[in-house]
Amino acid sequence: MTTGVSATFDASGTQVFGSASITTYQWSFGDGGTSTIQNPQHTFTKLGAFDISLTVTTTVATNANVKQGFVVATAKDLAFGGAGADRASGLLLRS
């Protein structure tokens, strides 16, 4: 069993202007994990504060957004998380 705490990230509100359309999403979760899907789920298995970044490429431009220290996983979160457990409510998410 993998111990950790899972969080779901959502880029469905990403807006594009004019005739542009989104071609790729590139998430980085600050712990070495990445994803290329629009709304990924990621499990944090280590303690710490993690910078989350999302780079969206459209047919006309690329835009990156980084939230520093956006996810903080504490010892309590990791101790009670488990494979498949959705403990996003136990994470500290900073805006």
Side-chain angles (χ1 to χ4, degrees):
M1 179 167 100
T2 302
T3 301
V5 58
S6 295
T8 299
F9 297 87
D10 187 342
S12 62
T14 304
Q15 297 180 351
V16 295
F17 300 98
S19 62
S21 60
I22 295 173
T23 57
T24 63
Y25 296 91
Q26 180 61 55
W27 290 91
S28 176
F29 301 111
D31 62 354
T34 62
S35 179
T36 58
I37 63 174
Q38 181 182 18
N39 302 319
Q41 184 172 7
H42 180 70
T43 300
F44 294 88
T45 60
K46 299 176 186 170
L47 299 177
F50 301 98
D51 298 345
I52 307 300
S53 69
L54 172 62
T55 301
V56 176
T57 302
T58 70
T59 51
V60 296
T62 298
N63 187 10
N65 188 6
V66 177
K67 297 278 190 171
Q68 294 183 341
F70 187 67
V71 172
V72 177
T74 66
K76 180 180 176 185
D77 296 328
L78 295 180
F80 291 102
D86 184 0
R87 296 265 311 159
S89 61
L91 289 173
L92 173 59
L93 302 177
R94 300 178 178 173
S95 56

